[in-house]
Every structure is written in C-alpha cells, then in structure tokens.
C-alpha cells in the first residue's frame, strides 16, 4: 500500500500528525481509486482531532499555501500541484431528516468510516509513521471491491436517510465501475426512493451526468428505472416504457430503444450533450403514438413535439438553459432526417437541405442517426449503414462544391427592397425564401449573379418591376 502513496504530501502530513500526536488517515474515493488502479486526484484526509489545524500546519510546511476553511463542517482544504487536499476531523454525524445539514460531533476513525456512503468508499490508509500504509477496512470494503459490490457500511436505511443523494450515487458508482448493488442496499433504495425529493436538482443532475458519461449508461438508467427513482426524477423518460399491442401488432419498447441508442452513441462520442440528445431523441413517442388500421403504429411528428419538450424538461431538471439545450433541441428535431434521406434516393438537393438545416452540427447529427439503428435484423442494419456511408460521401461532395454548411444568402433583404422599391414586408421574405429554395434544390448556383437573376425573375412573377435596371448590378 505504501508504494501507492506516491505524492510527497503524505510524508509531510505524516510528520506533522506525529508531532501533534494524533492519528491521521487518507480515506474515501482516493483509496478506492488507487486500489482500482483508476486515476485518483483529490485527496481526503481524516484526522482524529482538528482537521483545520493540521491543514494549516501542512499548508505552511509545503509552501505557505492558501487554506480555505469551512468552520461549520470542520473541514479545510488547499490546492497542492493541482490536487485538492481536504482535511476533516473524524466525525460522528447525523443528518436532519428534512435537510442535508448535519449535526456534527467529534468521533473515532470508525465513527467516521461508518457514516460514509459505501464500504468501498470507507477504506482508510494510515499516515502515521509507525503504521504508515496500513489499510483499515472494518466493513469489508476490499472484499466488495474484489467482488464488485456496492453496499452501505451501516443499515442502508440509515445511510440513505442521512443523505438520500447516496441512492443515486450507488447507481452512479455501479454504472461507472460496472459493479452490482447488493440486494439489501438496492431494496433500501426502493423503499427510500421518495426521499430523493429533498435533494437539489443540481446535485441530481451532477450524478446523472456522471451516469451519462459512463461507458454503458444504459445499465444506470435501467437501475434508475428498477429502483423507482426514474419515475420521480425523469418522468418523461419513464413514460417511454411499455409496449402496446393492437391487432397483434406491437410497437417498439421505446425506453429500451432509447438506452440502447445511448450506449451505441457512447462508442462514437464523449460529447455529453450529444449523449443527452440520444436520451431525448424519442421523448415524445408515447405522447404522439397512434394506431392506424392498415398502417400500424405511428408516432407522427414526435420529433417536433419532442423538440418542444426539451426546454421544459431541461428547465425542470435544472439542466442548462443555454446553447447546450438549444443543441439538444436541434438534434431531437432533426434526428430523423438522415435516416429518412438514407431510405430514399440520396439526391444532392436533399443532402444540401440537410446540411443547411444542421449547419456545423451535421457530423454530430450523423453520429446520432447511426446510433439510432438498433434493429436486430443484420441485413437491415447493414443496408442502413451503407446508405449512411453514401449520405456521408454526398455530404462531403456537396460541401466541397456548394459551401452550404454556414450558408448566408447572397442577396440581402435590403437589396430586394431597393431593387423593387418596396417597403419591408412579407414579400421580401417570400423572395428571400424562394432564392434559398432554388439554391438548395440545385435550380441555381450558390452565387450572387445567379441569385440576382433569380430574384428579378421571382419579382416579375409577383408583379414587381426592377427599378434599377439589370445592368447596374454587374
Ligand atoms: N461521501 C459520502 N456520502 C456522500 C458523498 C461523499 O459518504 N453523499 C464520502 C465517501 O466516502 C466518498 C468521499 O465522501 O468517497 C468523497 O466524496 P466525493 O468526492 O463526492 O466522491 P468520491 O468518492 O471521491 O468519488 P467521485 O470523485 O467520483 O465523486
């Protein structure tokens, strides 16, 4: 164990706590992560005595570092070479049932370990010289690490009642580490799920983001569902569950499909917001579903209804209401476009329109569309993938030729107004749109001259006359 305490800060702490004649341990996530051989960054140190006083002495010794002190929690921390080192006095702690504000009393190391969330997060390594590197594991954390188990050190009802966010943390750690939640611990989540309501939306979203950024987030979302938490924190996603059968025809199980799409996408992108777009892409399917005799199940306009839902759900969940939300909304709105295109003949004009609407997000949209293919029918999947490859090739060609990605009309509204001596009006918009359509449909080239001629033609169809005379413009 000593080998793993590479950071020279540990030796400094060791000498100082010995001088003060008190016990000290490195504890929690840092210890868990070195044992799992994961990158561990922030260091938590527990001191059986005043954490604040030791923090100050250590910070002084390593180079007069600035210490932030949180008196009410009895903690202090400083940054040492980019690593946050936090000191806390060992505590006995109990939380008020209706808030997260703990009442704190001094305690022993064991008191401190048992009030932590999971056995794997309650491991401590001694920093005192005499016992330096010794692992203290009163709750079988090592065993649980080996057997890949998430389990609370105390009766789970107490641990989760102390801080209900831990129910989500259990699912988050299980997902990140590919661990199983011990049955009793899981049953306690099921029993205590409603207590999640006292936790702030921001903290919930932090955990959800960590689930979304895992390698297989579907595992986490299935656990959220199974525990009953999903229905409380994300009812719109929960709504996608279930299959209806009419006339012997069943539709897709849309929750299952959604989490599969999310997993698929995780193979090709680390972009958190594109991953959120996968979660939202079919969010309106239940709301739009209809059975039409002769046609079967339809989900007409689910991309439009879904895009409308995005800001509402983001707002309620306290996901960011900024360009990230707009991006997710855009992806939801456009998610069917590449697949629809791939099903038809892939024409230049359809590709140009797709590029025009997606702009710089086209590559992300293509990744989402590819991830959306979850069919078990191999022939079908390979057909779609080939068509997508064709769409990608065409996108490249069109892009090289036409410069549509960040398209700006070669003709301004001002020019239309001055050419036809008309006032700003709907007609200006009609002419501008017709120019855009003509360019996207490949009817005219994407340049000033072609667009100008087209504008004159369109104007004359609308009964307007060119007051400047054609020649003036060239
Ligand atoms: N902890 C806890 N209950 C919480 C949050 C944290 O018992 N609700 C304890 C755990 O012992 C945890 C330690 O505090 O290991 C540090 O918490 P934190 O930094 O949030 O988590 P880590 O375990 O370090 O993991 P991560 O950095 O992935 O969040």
């Amino acid at each position: 164990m000593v080998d793993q305490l590479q950071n020279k800060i540990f030796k400094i702490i060791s000498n100082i706590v010995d001088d003060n004649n008190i016990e000290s341990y490195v504890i929690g996530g840092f210890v868990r992560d070195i044992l799992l051989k994961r990158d561990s960054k922030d260091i938590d140190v527990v001191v059986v005595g005043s954490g604040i006083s030791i923090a100050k002495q250590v910070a002084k010794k390593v180079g007069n570092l600035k210490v932030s002190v949180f008196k009410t929690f009895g903690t202090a921390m400083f940054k040492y070479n980019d690593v946050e080192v936090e000191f806390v006095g060992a505590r006995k702690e109990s939380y008020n049932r209706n808030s997260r504000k703990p009442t704190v009393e001094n305690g022993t190391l064991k008191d401190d370990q048992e009030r932590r969330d999971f056995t794997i997060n309650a491991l401590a390594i001694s920093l005192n010289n005499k016992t330096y590197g010794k692992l203290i594991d009163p709750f079988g954390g090592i065993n649980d690490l080996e057997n890949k188990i998430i389990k609370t050190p105390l009766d789970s009802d107490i641990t989760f009642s102390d801080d209900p966010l831990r129910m989500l943390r259990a699912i988050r750690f299980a997902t990140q580490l590919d661990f199983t939640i011990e049955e009793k611990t899981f049953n306690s989540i099921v029993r205590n799920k409603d207590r999640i309501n006292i936790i702030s939306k921001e903290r919930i979203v932090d955990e959800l983001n960590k689930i979304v950024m895992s390698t297989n987030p579907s595992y986490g979302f299935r656990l959220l569902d199974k525990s009953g938490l999903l229905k409380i924190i994300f009812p719109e996603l929960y709504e996608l569950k279930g299959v209806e059968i009419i006339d012997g025809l069943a539709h897709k199980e849309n929750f299952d499909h959604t989490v599969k799409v999310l997993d698929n996408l995780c193979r090709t992108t680390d972009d958190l917001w594109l991953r959120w777009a996968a979660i939202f892409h079919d969010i309106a399917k239940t709301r739009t579903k209809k059975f039409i005799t002769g046609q079967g199940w339809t989900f007409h306009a689910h991309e439009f209804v879904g895009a409308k839902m995005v800001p509402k759900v983001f707002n309620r969940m306290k996901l960011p209401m900024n360009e990230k939300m707009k991006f997710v909304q855009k992806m939801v709105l456009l998610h069917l476009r590449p697949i629809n295109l791939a099903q038809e003949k892939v024409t230049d004009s359809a590709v140009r329109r797709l590029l025009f609407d997606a702009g710089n997000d086209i590559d992300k949209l293509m990744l989402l569309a590819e991830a959306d293919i979850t069919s078990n029918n191999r022939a079908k999947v390979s057909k779609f993938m080939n068509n997508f490859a064709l769409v990608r090739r065409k996108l490249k060609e069109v892009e090289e030729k036409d410069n549509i990605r960040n398209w700006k009309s070669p003709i301004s509204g001002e020019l239309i107004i001055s050419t036809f001596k008309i006032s700003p009006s709907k007609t200006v918009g009609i002419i501008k749109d017709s120019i855009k359509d003509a360019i996207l449909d490949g009817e005219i080239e994407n340049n000033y001259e072609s667009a100008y001629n087209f504008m004159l033609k369109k104007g004359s169809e609308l009964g307007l006359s060119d007051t400047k005379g054609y020649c003036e413009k060239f």
Side-chain angles (χ1 to χ4, degrees), residues 27-30 32-33 38 42 44 86 95 100 112-113 115-118 120-123 159 163-166 169 172-173 176 203 207 210:
I27 195 160
F30 183 87
R32 176 199 68 222
D33 287 341
R38 282 171 103 211
D42 298 340
D44 285 323
E86 179 157 344
Y95 290 78
R100 283 209 64 253
D112 192 281
Q113 283 174 300
R115 65 161 196 86
R116 288 179 181 265
D117 52 4
F118 307 114
I120 61 164
N121 287 345
L123 295 158
T159 304
D163 179 5
L165 185 73
R166 289 169 168 172
R169 281 173 60 92
R172 186 259 286 189
F173 282 119
Q176 281 181 325
R203 296 183 77 215
E207 292 302 322
K210 288 181 182 172

Side-chain angles (χ1 to χ4, degrees), residues 9-27:
I9 192 89
F10 292 120
K11 268 287 162 204
I12 298 170
I13 299 172
S14 186
N15 292 332
I16 288 177
V17 289
D18 274 6
D19 287 350
N20 282 265
N21 204 19
I22 59 178
E23 290 169 41
S24 172
Y25 305 84
V26 56
I27 195 160

Side-chain angles (χ1 to χ4, degrees), residues 16-17 30 41 75 79 95 105 126 249 257 281-282 317 347 376 393 410 471:
I16 288 177
V17 289
F30 183 87
K41 230 180 159 201
T75 64
K79 254 203 155 137
Y95 290 78
E105 281 171 52
S126 171
L249 286 174
H257 165 72
H281 81 288
D282 275 348
M317 291 174 76
T347 63
N376 286 326
R393 269 205 306 283
C471 296

